């Protein structure tokens, strides 16, 4: 279920709860509040059950009208739809250099208010979508595990049309009416571990989730050929944001691609006896979530390879959101190929895990400081 939120409620609740004794989860990326609509009629054919061939996409995958109206954009994106006005709702997540996020169609939006109409914003201009302006992403980790591919990081969210104060929300392939958020939003990748040996082939990832807000983002595509895809891409923890749904380092200033072990299922944690427990997200009526019974474990990474952002993303002359017609430099494909090359001289799972948990503390601290500075 996907929910919208209202920042003032978050701020008020945090003030009421006090900062000192709680894990300050509210300011985290993609924490969502205040349901916009919880009783929409379900689509006859849920978006997750619609399967498409990347080379033969329909204009719109969602032809319903429903309570939320028709799909706002389209899926048959290509050279003619590329640019700052694109309403492409097909996202591609292939590599550190080449991935898309969901952003808003018009400036100064909130994730919650525009979740149904989000459009693809990509690092490259080759997907018929908008281009994330150079410099917007200041840290990113692309990780592949046996079960999913995931991109997490730090972004200036105003550059993909979100209000700078927006604490955000969840976008996923479900939504209250199962038409997805955005409605008709579909996601493809050529990076699933199960695709190795079939280089370049794009397959749909019917199950995916993404959180965006407080200048953090995460998007996870769960391999439908693996047994627990629905659990890794769980969509019921819409109030917990990136750290609980996609635990990773969120290190600013680092641009890296890694292999890794799969995370605990979102919402699953281990008690002091090592027994697995399932977190129950309280209903909105119970008020803000101010404490959590667990901290998410950041999975071990390995074979991380780091890059300078200038080496992997197009470098238009300015930070203009309209710079999306700038062609990708010819160097990009070569770098893309290198991104999956294992770096055996740096296995470093332990040290990475340690520094990663430090980074979560930093994320918490940063979120709290940002909130304080807003008050
Ligand atoms: C963005 O929206 C908020 C309220 O939604 C408004 O107060 C603010 O002035 C807007 N900022 C810009 C740059 O339009
Ligand atoms: C985000 O980008 C806008 C537009 O370039 C800029 O005004 C703002 O200061 C940036 N915010 C941060 C946190 O860097
Ligand atoms: C692998 O990592 C080492 C140490 O971090 C670095 O010196 C080397 O350049 C890396 N190799 C590649 C191919 O990135």
């Amino acid at each position: 279920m996907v929910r919208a939120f209202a920042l003032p409620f978050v701020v008020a609740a945090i003030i009421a709860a006090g900062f000192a004794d709680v894990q300050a989860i509210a300011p985290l990326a993609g924490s969502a509040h205040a349901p916009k609509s919880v009783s929409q009629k379900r689509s006859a054919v849920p978006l997750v059950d619609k399967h498409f061939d990347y080379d033969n996409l329909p204009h719109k995958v969602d032809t319903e009208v429903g309570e939320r109206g028709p799909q706002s954009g389209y899926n048959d994106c290509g050279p003619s739809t590329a640019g700052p006005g694109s309403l492409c709702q097909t996202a591609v997540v292939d590599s550190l250099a080449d991935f898309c996020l969901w952003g808003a169609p018009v400036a100064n939006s909130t994730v919650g208010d525009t979740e149904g109409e989000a459009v693809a914003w990509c690092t490259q201009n080759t997907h018929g979508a908008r281009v994330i302006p150079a410099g917007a992403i200041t840290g990113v980790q692309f990780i592949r595990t046996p079960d999913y591919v995931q991109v997490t990081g730090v972004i200036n969210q105003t550059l993909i049309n979100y209000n700078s104060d927006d604490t955000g929300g969840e976008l996923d392939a479900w939504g209250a009416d199962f038409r997805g958020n955005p409605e008709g939003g579909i996601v493809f990748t050529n990076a699933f571990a199960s695709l190795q040996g079939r280089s370049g082939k794009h397959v749909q990832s019917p199950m995916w989730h993404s959180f965006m807000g407080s200048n953090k983002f995460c998007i996870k595509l769960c391999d439908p050929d693996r047994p627990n895809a629905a659990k890794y891409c769980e969509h019921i923890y819409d109030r917990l944001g990136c750290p609980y749904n996609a635990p990773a380092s969120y290190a600013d200033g680092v641009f890296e691609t890694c292999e890794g072990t799969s995370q605990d299922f979102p919402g699953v944690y281990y008690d002091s006896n090592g027994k697995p427990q399932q977190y129950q997200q309280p209903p909105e009526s119970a008020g803000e979530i101010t404490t959590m019974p667990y901290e998410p474990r950041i999975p071990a990474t390995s074979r991380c390879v780091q890059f300078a952002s200038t080496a992997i993303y197009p470098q238009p002359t300015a930070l203009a959101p309209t710079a999306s017609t700038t062609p990708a430099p010819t160097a990009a494909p070569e770098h893309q190929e290198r991104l999956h090359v294992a770096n055996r001289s740096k296995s470093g799972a332990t040290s990475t895990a340690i520094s990663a948990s430090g980074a979560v503390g930093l994320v918490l601290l940063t979120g709290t400081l940002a909130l304080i500075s807003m008050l």
Side-chain angles (χ1 to χ4, degrees):
M1 184 171 299
V2 175
R3 296 179 168 185
F5 65 90
L7 182 66
F9 295 101
V10 183
V11 176
I14 293 291
I15 294 167
F19 288 96
D21 58 344
V22 299
Q23 233 177 293
I25 68 157
L28 293 178
S31 56
H33 304 270
K36 192 163 60 176
S37 55
V38 292
S39 60
Q40 286 157 356
K41 195 170 153 233
R42 275 195 192 187
S43 166
V45 184
L47 181 60
V48 286
D49 293 333
K50 296 180 181 177
H51 298 154
F52 301 96
D53 174 359
Y54 184 66
D55 297 319
N56 189 23
L57 291 172
H59 182 55
K60 292 175 188 276
V61 305
D62 187 335
T63 52
E64 292 180 44
V65 177
E67 289 175 54
R68 292 201 288 162
Q71 178 179 351
S72 59
Y74 40 77
N75 302 100
D76 54 346
C77 315
S80 68
T81 66
S86 178
L87 298 178
C88 176
Q89 293 178 315
T90 298
V92 175
V93 177
D94 282 351
S95 68
L96 177 68
D98 190 358
F99 67 90
C100 308
L101 300 172
W102 299 112
V106 297
N108 203 24
S109 298
T110 65
V111 178
D113 288 344
T114 59
E115 61 184 14
E117 300 85 54
V119 296
W121 289 74
C122 307
T123 57
Q124 305 289 338
N125 74 341
T126 50
H127 301 297
R130 304 189 189 202
V131 173
I132 299 170
I137 294 172
T138 55
V140 59
Q141 180 190 70
F142 178 93
I143 192 164
R144 171 166 51 189
T145 84
D147 298 294
Y148 56 81
V149 294
Q150 172 183 282
V151 194
T152 55
V154 186
I155 187 170
N156 180 336
Q157 66 191 27
T158 66
L159 297 173
I160 57 169
N161 283 348
Y162 290 123
N163 182 304
S164 58
D165 291 339
D166 186 18
T167 57
E170 177 171 359
L171 299 158
D172 62 43
W174 290 269
D177 56 7
F178 282 57
R179 296 175 67 193
N181 277 307
E183 289 168 56
I186 51 174
V187 180
F188 288 82
T189 184
N190 66 11
F192 281 146
S194 63
L195 283 172
Q196 272 186 338
R198 286 182 283 162
S199 169
K201 181 180 167 62
H202 282 99
V203 296
Q204 189 189 354
S205 178
M207 287 173 277
W208 58 270
H209 67 195
S210 178
F211 296 77
M212 167 71 62
S214 303
N215 290 331
K216 303 288 189 307
F217 68 86
C218 50
I219 184 167
K220 189 195 299 159
L221 283 60
C222 295
D223 188 340
D225 290 340
R226 297 285 295 174
N228 295 307
K231 290 180 178 166
Y232 286 115
C233 279
E234 184 55 88
H235 57 100
I236 62 173
Y237 297 106
D238 56 335
R239 303 178 70 195
L240 301 185
C242 285
Y244 283 81
N245 286 289
S249 72
Y250 295 90
D252 206 354
V254 176
F255 297 80
E256 66 179 5
T257 184
C258 300
E259 304 286 320
T261 54
S262 297
Q263 65 175 104
D264 299 326
F265 300 140
V268 171
Y269 64 101
Y270 294 85
D271 66 19
S272 53
N273 298 319
K275 284 183 61 177
Q277 304 288 337
Q278 185 84 40
Y279 176 70
Q280 302 292 325
Q281 180 177 274
E284 298 284 340
S285 56
E288 294 303 323
I289 302 170
T290 53
T291 59
M292 286 292 292
Y294 72 103
E295 282 188 50
R297 300 195 296 197
I298 296 174
T301 57
S302 60
R303 299 178 172 182
C304 292
V305 184
Q306 299 186 347
F307 295 82
S309 67
T310 48
I312 51 177
Y313 300 132
Q315 297 296 309
T317 47
L319 273 185
T322 51
S324 35
T325 50
T326 306
T330 50
E334 173 193 320
H335 283 290
Q336 278 166 241
E337 284 192 19
R338 283 183 51 210
L339 292 179
H340 289 305
V341 173
N343 188 335
R344 293 172 217 291
S345 70
K346 189 188 172 188
S347 64
T350 310
S351 62
T352 308
I354 289 168
S355 66
S357 63
V360 158
L362 191 62
V363 170
L364 287 164
L365 183 64
T366 309
T368 307
L369 289 175
L371 197 66
I372 291 170
S373 67
M374 277 165 45
L375 298 177

PDB file of all heavy atoms in Angstrom, residues 325-359:
ATOM      1  N   THR A 325      18.827  17.165 -23.488  1.00  0.00           N
ATOM      2  CA  THR A 325      19.103  16.780 -24.865  1.00  0.00           C
ATOM      3  C   THR A 325      20.599  16.611 -25.104  1.00  0.00           C
ATOM      4  O   THR A 325      21.010  16.220 -26.175  1.00  0.00           O
ATOM      5  CB  THR A 325      18.562  17.831 -25.842  1.00  0.00           C
ATOM      6  OG1 THR A 325      19.010  19.107 -25.420  1.00  0.00           O
ATOM      7  CG2 THR A 325      17.046  17.822 -25.880  1.00  0.00           C
ATOM      8  N   THR A 326      21.399  16.891 -24.086  1.00  0.00           N
ATOM      9  CA  THR A 326      22.834  16.721 -24.226  1.00  0.00           C
ATOM     10  C   THR A 326      23.170  15.257 -24.480  1.00  0.00           C
ATOM     11  O   THR A 326      22.761  14.394 -23.726  1.00  0.00           O
ATOM     12  CB  THR A 326      23.543  17.149 -22.925  1.00  0.00           C
ATOM     13  OG1 THR A 326      23.135  18.469 -22.621  1.00  0.00           O
ATOM     14  CG2 THR A 326      25.043  17.107 -23.102  1.00  0.00           C
ATOM     15  N   PRO A 327      23.890  14.957 -25.556  1.00  0.00           N
ATOM     16  CA  PRO A 327      24.203  13.549 -25.814  1.00  0.00           C
ATOM     17  C   PRO A 327      25.165  12.981 -24.778  1.00  0.00           C
ATOM     18  O   PRO A 327      26.000  13.709 -24.221  1.00  0.00           O
ATOM     19  CB  PRO A 327      24.838  13.591 -27.208  1.00  0.00           C
ATOM     20  CG  PRO A 327      25.223  15.001 -27.451  1.00  0.00           C
ATOM     21  CD  PRO A 327      24.406  15.868 -26.568  1.00  0.00           C
ATOM     22  N   ALA A 328      25.031  11.700 -24.525  1.00  0.00           N
ATOM     23  CA  ALA A 328      25.960  11.050 -23.607  1.00  0.00           C
ATOM     24  C   ALA A 328      27.337  11.020 -24.249  1.00  0.00           C
ATOM     25  O   ALA A 328      27.452  10.843 -25.456  1.00  0.00           O
ATOM     26  CB  ALA A 328      25.487   9.633 -23.333  1.00  0.00           C
ATOM     27  N   PRO A 329      28.360  11.216 -23.452  1.00  0.00           N
ATOM     28  CA  PRO A 329      29.706  11.169 -24.031  1.00  0.00           C
ATOM     29  C   PRO A 329      30.013   9.753 -24.511  1.00  0.00           C
ATOM     30  O   PRO A 329      29.489   8.790 -23.984  1.00  0.00           O
ATOM     31  CB  PRO A 329      30.607  11.570 -22.868  1.00  0.00           C
ATOM     32  CG  PRO A 329      29.824  11.261 -21.644  1.00  0.00           C
ATOM     33  CD  PRO A 329      28.384  11.455 -22.023  1.00  0.00           C
ATOM     34  N   THR A 330      30.837   9.675 -25.509  1.00  0.00           N
ATOM     35  CA  THR A 330      31.126   8.369 -26.081  1.00  0.00           C
ATOM     36  C   THR A 330      31.836   7.458 -25.088  1.00  0.00           C
ATOM     37  O   THR A 330      31.867   6.264 -25.264  1.00  0.00           O
ATOM     38  CB  THR A 330      31.995   8.525 -27.343  1.00  0.00           C
ATOM     39  OG1 THR A 330      33.094   9.374 -27.009  1.00  0.00           O
ATOM     40  CG2 THR A 330      31.202   9.145 -28.475  1.00  0.00           C
ATOM     41  N   ALA A 331      32.393   8.021 -24.045  1.00  0.00           N
ATOM     42  CA  ALA A 331      33.112   7.192 -23.077  1.00  0.00           C
ATOM     43  C   ALA A 331      32.166   6.326 -22.252  1.00  0.00           C
ATOM     44  O   ALA A 331      32.569   5.315 -21.716  1.00  0.00           O
ATOM     45  CB  ALA A 331      33.945   8.070 -22.140  1.00  0.00           C
ATOM     46  N   ALA A 332      30.886   6.721 -22.183  1.00  0.00           N
ATOM     47  CA  ALA A 332      29.994   6.050 -21.245  1.00  0.00           C
ATOM     48  C   ALA A 332      29.862   4.537 -21.438  1.00  0.00           C
ATOM     49  O   ALA A 332      29.978   3.794 -20.481  1.00  0.00           O
ATOM     50  CB  ALA A 332      28.623   6.713 -21.294  1.00  0.00           C
ATOM     51  N   PRO A 333      29.615   4.042 -22.670  1.00  0.00           N
ATOM     52  CA  PRO A 333      29.417   2.601 -22.809  1.00  0.00           C
ATOM     53  C   PRO A 333      30.614   1.795 -22.317  1.00  0.00           C
ATOM     54  O   PRO A 333      30.447   0.771 -21.671  1.00  0.00           O
ATOM     55  CB  PRO A 333      29.203   2.429 -24.318  1.00  0.00           C
ATOM     56  CG  PRO A 333      28.742   3.763 -24.787  1.00  0.00           C
ATOM     57  CD  PRO A 333      29.450   4.747 -23.925  1.00  0.00           C
ATOM     58  N   GLU A 334      31.787   2.295 -22.596  1.00  0.00           N
ATOM     59  CA  GLU A 334      32.994   1.601 -22.162  1.00  0.00           C
ATOM     60  C   GLU A 334      33.019   1.490 -20.642  1.00  0.00           C
ATOM     61  O   GLU A 334      33.286   0.443 -20.073  1.00  0.00           O
ATOM     62  CB  GLU A 334      34.191   2.393 -22.686  1.00  0.00           C
ATOM     63  CG  GLU A 334      35.552   1.943 -22.221  1.00  0.00           C
ATOM     64  CD  GLU A 334      36.580   3.010 -22.565  1.00  0.00           C
ATOM     65  OE1 GLU A 334      36.490   3.591 -23.661  1.00  0.00           O
ATOM     66  OE2 GLU A 334      37.447   3.274 -21.723  1.00  0.00           O
ATOM     67  N   HIS A 335      32.670   2.589 -19.976  1.00  0.00           N
ATOM     68  CA  HIS A 335      32.654   2.548 -18.521  1.00  0.00           C
ATOM     69  C   HIS A 335      31.569   1.631 -18.010  1.00  0.00           C
ATOM     70  O   HIS A 335      31.755   0.930 -17.029  1.00  0.00           O
ATOM     71  CB  HIS A 335      32.470   3.957 -17.967  1.00  0.00           C
ATOM     72  CG  HIS A 335      33.714   4.763 -18.019  1.00  0.00           C
ATOM     73  ND1 HIS A 335      34.785   4.508 -17.213  1.00  0.00           N
ATOM     74  CD2 HIS A 335      34.072   5.804 -18.800  1.00  0.00           C
ATOM     75  CE1 HIS A 335      35.759   5.367 -17.490  1.00  0.00           C
ATOM     76  NE2 HIS A 335      35.350   6.167 -18.458  1.00  0.00           N
ATOM     77  N   GLN A 336      30.428   1.663 -18.696  1.00  0.00           N
ATOM     78  CA  GLN A 336      29.342   0.789 -18.262  1.00  0.00           C
ATOM     79  C   GLN A 336      29.791  -0.658 -18.253  1.00  0.00           C
ATOM     80  O   GLN A 336      29.469  -1.417 -17.371  1.00  0.00           O
ATOM     81  CB  GLN A 336      28.154   0.931 -19.215  1.00  0.00           C
ATOM     82  CG  GLN A 336      27.303   2.125 -18.891  1.00  0.00           C
ATOM     83  CD  GLN A 336      26.347   2.455 -20.006  1.00  0.00           C
ATOM     84  OE1 GLN A 336      26.401   3.513 -20.567  1.00  0.00           O
ATOM     85  NE2 GLN A 336      25.498   1.520 -20.343  1.00  0.00           N
ATOM     86  N   GLU A 337      30.515  -1.023 -19.303  1.00  0.00           N
ATOM     87  CA  GLU A 337      30.958  -2.417 -19.352  1.00  0.00           C
ATOM     88  C   GLU A 337      31.888  -2.736 -18.197  1.00  0.00           C
ATOM     89  O   GLU A 337      31.844  -3.811 -17.651  1.00  0.00           O
ATOM     90  CB  GLU A 337      31.666  -2.685 -20.673  1.00  0.00           C
ATOM     91  CG  GLU A 337      30.664  -2.805 -21.816  1.00  0.00           C
ATOM     92  CD  GLU A 337      31.294  -3.358 -23.067  1.00  0.00           C
ATOM     93  OE1 GLU A 337      32.376  -3.965 -22.961  1.00  0.00           O
ATOM     94  OE2 GLU A 337      30.728  -3.163 -24.112  1.00  0.00           O
ATOM     95  N   ARG A 338      32.694  -1.794 -17.847  1.00  0.00           N
ATOM     96  CA  ARG A 338      33.652  -2.043 -16.765  1.00  0.00           C
ATOM     97  C   ARG A 338      32.974  -2.158 -15.414  1.00  0.00           C
ATOM     98  O   ARG A 338      33.534  -2.705 -14.482  1.00  0.00           O
ATOM     99  CB  ARG A 338      34.669  -0.902 -16.705  1.00  0.00           C
ATOM    100  CG  ARG A 338      35.722  -0.973 -17.775  1.00  0.00           C
ATOM    101  CD  ARG A 338      36.718   0.146 -17.584  1.00  0.00           C
ATOM    102  NE  ARG A 338      37.239   0.194 -16.227  1.00  0.00           N
ATOM    103  CZ  ARG A 338      37.633   1.317 -15.634  1.00  0.00           C
ATOM    104  NH1 ARG A 338      37.552   2.457 -16.257  1.00  0.00           N
ATOM    105  NH2 ARG A 338      38.099   1.297 -14.403  1.00  0.00           N
ATOM    106  N   LEU A 339      31.784  -1.612 -15.295  1.00  0.00           N
ATOM    107  CA  LEU A 339      31.188  -1.518 -13.964  1.00  0.00           C
ATOM    108  C   LEU A 339      30.963  -2.859 -13.302  1.00  0.00           C
ATOM    109  O   LEU A 339      30.926  -2.947 -12.094  1.00  0.00           O
ATOM    110  CB  LEU A 339      29.856  -0.757 -14.042  1.00  0.00           C
ATOM    111  CG  LEU A 339      30.017   0.716 -14.392  1.00  0.00           C
ATOM    112  CD1 LEU A 339      28.687   1.392 -14.484  1.00  0.00           C
ATOM    113  CD2 LEU A 339      30.890   1.404 -13.379  1.00  0.00           C
ATOM    114  N   HIS A 340      30.771  -3.894 -14.085  1.00  0.00           N
ATOM    115  CA  HIS A 340      30.518  -5.179 -13.457  1.00  0.00           C
ATOM    116  C   HIS A 340      31.760  -6.038 -13.320  1.00  0.00           C
ATOM    117  O   HIS A 340      31.700  -7.167 -12.891  1.00  0.00           O
ATOM    118  CB  HIS A 340      29.419  -5.925 -14.207  1.00  0.00           C
ATOM    119  CG  HIS A 340      28.086  -5.293 -13.990  1.00  0.00           C
ATOM    120  ND1 HIS A 340      27.576  -5.085 -12.743  1.00  0.00           N
ATOM    121  CD2 HIS A 340      27.198  -4.782 -14.861  1.00  0.00           C
ATOM    122  CE1 HIS A 340      26.406  -4.485 -12.856  1.00  0.00           C
ATOM    123  NE2 HIS A 340      26.156  -4.281 -14.122  1.00  0.00           N
ATOM    124  N   VAL A 341      32.898  -5.481 -13.715  1.00  0.00           N
ATOM    125  CA  VAL A 341      34.143  -6.227 -13.559  1.00  0.00           C
ATOM    126  C   VAL A 341      34.463  -6.336 -12.072  1.00  0.00           C
ATOM    127  O   VAL A 341      34.466  -5.358 -11.345  1.00  0.00           O
ATOM    128  CB  VAL A 341      35.297  -5.501 -14.291  1.00  0.00           C
ATOM    129  CG1 VAL A 341      36.615  -6.176 -13.997  1.00  0.00           C
ATOM    130  CG2 VAL A 341      35.014  -5.462 -15.778  1.00  0.00           C
ATOM    131  N   ALA A 342      34.675  -7.544 -11.646  1.00  0.00           N
ATOM    132  CA  ALA A 342      34.961  -7.747 -10.225  1.00  0.00           C
ATOM    133  C   ALA A 342      36.319  -7.152  -9.874  1.00  0.00           C
ATOM    134  O   ALA A 342      37.268  -7.285 -10.623  1.00  0.00           O
ATOM    135  CB  ALA A 342      34.957  -9.241  -9.923  1.00  0.00           C
ATOM    136  N   ASN A 343      36.398  -6.519  -8.740  1.00  0.00           N
ATOM    137  CA  ASN A 343      37.683  -6.012  -8.271  1.00  0.00           C
ATOM    138  C   ASN A 343      38.143  -6.915  -7.130  1.00  0.00           C
ATOM    139  O   ASN A 343      37.808  -6.715  -5.983  1.00  0.00           O
ATOM    140  CB  ASN A 343      37.540  -4.571  -7.795  1.00  0.00           C
ATOM    141  CG  ASN A 343      38.892  -3.969  -7.497  1.00  0.00           C
ATOM    142  OD1 ASN A 343      39.839  -4.686  -7.196  1.00  0.00           O
ATOM    143  ND2 ASN A 343      38.979  -2.660  -7.588  1.00  0.00           N
ATOM    144  N   ARG A 344      38.909  -7.898  -7.492  1.00  0.00           N
ATOM    145  CA  ARG A 344      39.266  -8.919  -6.506  1.00  0.00           C
ATOM    146  C   ARG A 344      40.263  -8.419  -5.481  1.00  0.00           C
ATOM    147  O   ARG A 344      40.472  -9.029  -4.465  1.00  0.00           O
ATOM    148  CB  ARG A 344      39.833 -10.149  -7.215  1.00  0.00           C
ATOM    149  CG  ARG A 344      38.780 -10.845  -8.029  1.00  0.00           C
ATOM    150  CD  ARG A 344      39.368 -11.944  -8.896  1.00  0.00           C
ATOM    151  NE  ARG A 344      38.711 -12.039 -10.187  1.00  0.00           N
ATOM    152  CZ  ARG A 344      37.472 -12.464 -10.365  1.00  0.00           C
ATOM    153  NH1 ARG A 344      36.778 -12.855  -9.348  1.00  0.00           N
ATOM    154  NH2 ARG A 344      36.931 -12.506 -11.552  1.00  0.00           N
ATOM    155  N   SER A 345      40.922  -7.316  -5.769  1.00  0.00           N
ATOM    156  CA  SER A 345      41.889  -6.828  -4.787  1.00  0.00           C
ATOM    157  C   SER A 345      41.197  -6.132  -3.637  1.00  0.00           C
ATOM    158  O   SER A 345      41.813  -5.693  -2.698  1.00  0.00           O
ATOM    159  CB  SER A 345      42.876  -5.865  -5.464  1.00  0.00           C
ATOM    160  OG  SER A 345      42.204  -4.673  -5.802  1.00  0.00           O
ATOM    161  N   LYS A 346      39.873  -6.033  -3.688  1.00  0.00           N
ATOM    162  CA  LYS A 346      39.160  -5.301  -2.640  1.00  0.00           C
ATOM    163  C   LYS A 346      37.902  -6.068  -2.259  1.00  0.00           C
ATOM    164  O   LYS A 346      36.805  -5.685  -2.594  1.00  0.00           O
ATOM    165  CB  LYS A 346      38.804  -3.905  -3.164  1.00  0.00           C
ATOM    166  CG  LYS A 346      38.255  -2.962  -2.108  1.00  0.00           C
ATOM    167  CD  LYS A 346      37.754  -1.699  -2.773  1.00  0.00           C
ATOM    168  CE  LYS A 346      37.019  -0.812  -1.762  1.00  0.00           C
ATOM    169  NZ  LYS A 346      36.369   0.313  -2.402  1.00  0.00           N
ATOM    170  N   SER A 347      38.083  -7.197  -1.587  1.00  0.00           N
ATOM    171  CA  SER A 347      36.891  -7.962  -1.200  1.00  0.00           C
ATOM    172  C   SER A 347      36.192  -7.263  -0.050  1.00  0.00           C
ATOM    173  O   SER A 347      35.004  -7.004  -0.108  1.00  0.00           O
ATOM    174  CB  SER A 347      37.266  -9.390  -0.849  1.00  0.00           C
ATOM    175  OG  SER A 347      38.096  -9.414   0.266  1.00  0.00           O
ATOM    176  N   GLY A 348      36.938  -6.973   1.017  1.00  0.00           N
ATOM    177  CA  GLY A 348      36.546  -6.042   2.072  1.00  0.00           C
ATOM    178  C   GLY A 348      35.119  -6.080   2.600  1.00  0.00           C
ATOM    179  O   GLY A 348      34.578  -5.055   2.963  1.00  0.00           O
ATOM    180  N   ALA A 349      34.474  -7.246   2.665  1.00  0.00           N
ATOM    181  CA  ALA A 349      33.095  -7.263   3.140  1.00  0.00           C
ATOM    182  C   ALA A 349      32.987  -6.719   4.558  1.00  0.00           C
ATOM    183  O   ALA A 349      32.097  -5.942   4.863  1.00  0.00           O
ATOM    184  CB  ALA A 349      32.543  -8.677   3.091  1.00  0.00           C
ATOM    185  N   THR A 350      33.927  -7.093   5.428  1.00  0.00           N
ATOM    186  CA  THR A 350      33.825  -6.694   6.823  1.00  0.00           C
ATOM    187  C   THR A 350      33.968  -5.185   6.981  1.00  0.00           C
ATOM    188  O   THR A 350      33.116  -4.535   7.567  1.00  0.00           O
ATOM    189  CB  THR A 350      34.929  -7.385   7.660  1.00  0.00           C
ATOM    190  OG1 THR A 350      34.879  -8.771   7.350  1.00  0.00           O
ATOM    191  CG2 THR A 350      34.690  -7.166   9.130  1.00  0.00           C
ATOM    192  N   SER A 351      35.038  -4.659   6.387  1.00  0.00           N
ATOM    193  CA  SER A 351      35.254  -3.229   6.584  1.00  0.00           C
ATOM    194  C   SER A 351      34.128  -2.417   5.946  1.00  0.00           C
ATOM    195  O   SER A 351      33.710  -1.408   6.481  1.00  0.00           O
ATOM    196  CB  SER A 351      36.609  -2.815   6.018  1.00  0.00           C
ATOM    197  OG  SER A 351      36.621  -3.058   4.626  1.00  0.00           O
ATOM    198  N   THR A 352      33.613  -2.921   4.816  1.00  0.00           N
ATOM    199  CA  THR A 352      32.527  -2.182   4.175  1.00  0.00           C
ATOM    200  C   THR A 352      31.299  -2.169   5.072  1.00  0.00           C
ATOM    201  O   THR A 352      30.642  -1.155   5.236  1.00  0.00           O
ATOM    202  CB  THR A 352      32.171  -2.812   2.817  1.00  0.00           C
ATOM    203  OG1 THR A 352      33.368  -2.927   2.071  1.00  0.00           O
ATOM    204  CG2 THR A 352      31.176  -1.963   2.076  1.00  0.00           C
ATOM    205  N   ALA A 353      31.009  -3.339   5.674  1.00  0.00           N
ATOM    206  CA  ALA A 353      29.833  -3.414   6.533  1.00  0.00           C
ATOM    207  C   ALA A 353      29.966  -2.477   7.725  1.00  0.00           C
ATOM    208  O   ALA A 353      29.022  -1.806   8.114  1.00  0.00           O
ATOM    209  CB  ALA A 353      29.628  -4.844   7.014  1.00  0.00           C
ATOM    210  N   ILE A 354      31.185  -2.413   8.283  1.00  0.00           N
ATOM    211  CA  ILE A 354      31.377  -1.545   9.444  1.00  0.00           C
ATOM    212  C   ILE A 354      31.186  -0.082   9.061  1.00  0.00           C
ATOM    213  O   ILE A 354      30.427   0.647   9.689  1.00  0.00           O
ATOM    214  CB  ILE A 354      32.795  -1.760  10.044  1.00  0.00           C
ATOM    215  CG1 ILE A 354      32.848  -3.138  10.714  1.00  0.00           C
ATOM    216  CG2 ILE A 354      33.123  -0.671  11.059  1.00  0.00           C
ATOM    217  CD1 ILE A 354      34.236  -3.570  11.082  1.00  0.00           C
ATOM    218  N   SER A 355      31.842   0.315   7.976  1.00  0.00           N
ATOM    219  CA  SER A 355      31.714   1.728   7.615  1.00  0.00           C
ATOM    220  C   SER A 355      30.277   2.037   7.203  1.00  0.00           C
ATOM    221  O   SER A 355      29.783   3.126   7.392  1.00  0.00           O
ATOM    222  CB  SER A 355      32.689   2.076   6.494  1.00  0.00           C
ATOM    223  OG  SER A 355      32.327   1.387   5.321  1.00  0.00           O
ATOM    224  N   ALA A 356      29.587   1.012   6.666  1.00  0.00           N
ATOM    225  CA  ALA A 356      28.215   1.251   6.240  1.00  0.00           C
ATOM    226  C   ALA A 356      27.312   1.536   7.437  1.00  0.00           C
ATOM    227  O   ALA A 356      26.469   2.424   7.381  1.00  0.00           O
ATOM    228  CB  ALA A 356      27.696   0.049   5.461  1.00  0.00           C
ATOM    229  N   SER A 357      27.502   0.800   8.539  1.00  0.00           N
ATOM    230  CA  SER A 357      26.620   1.056   9.676  1.00  0.00           C
ATOM    231  C   SER A 357      26.909   2.434  10.260  1.00  0.00           C
ATOM    232  O   SER A 357      26.019   3.102  10.768  1.00  0.00           O
ATOM    233  CB  SER A 357      26.770  -0.039  10.733  1.00  0.00           C
ATOM    234  OG  SER A 357      28.076  -0.042  11.239  1.00  0.00           O
ATOM    235  N   GLY A 358      28.161   2.863  10.165  1.00  0.00           N
ATOM    236  CA  GLY A 358      28.469   4.233  10.577  1.00  0.00           C
ATOM    237  C   GLY A 358      27.710   5.243   9.730  1.00  0.00           C
ATOM    238  O   GLY A 358      27.208   6.241  10.221  1.00  0.00           O
ATOM    239  N   ALA A 359      27.596   4.905   8.458  1.00  0.00           N
ATOM    240  CA  ALA A 359      26.930   5.831   7.543  1.00  0.00           C
ATOM    241  C   ALA A 359      25.447   5.956   7.847  1.00  0.00           C
ATOM    242  O   ALA A 359      24.855   7.008   7.665  1.00  0.00           O
ATOM    243  CB  ALA A 359      27.132   5.373   6.095  1.00  0.00           C
TER     244      ALA A 359
END
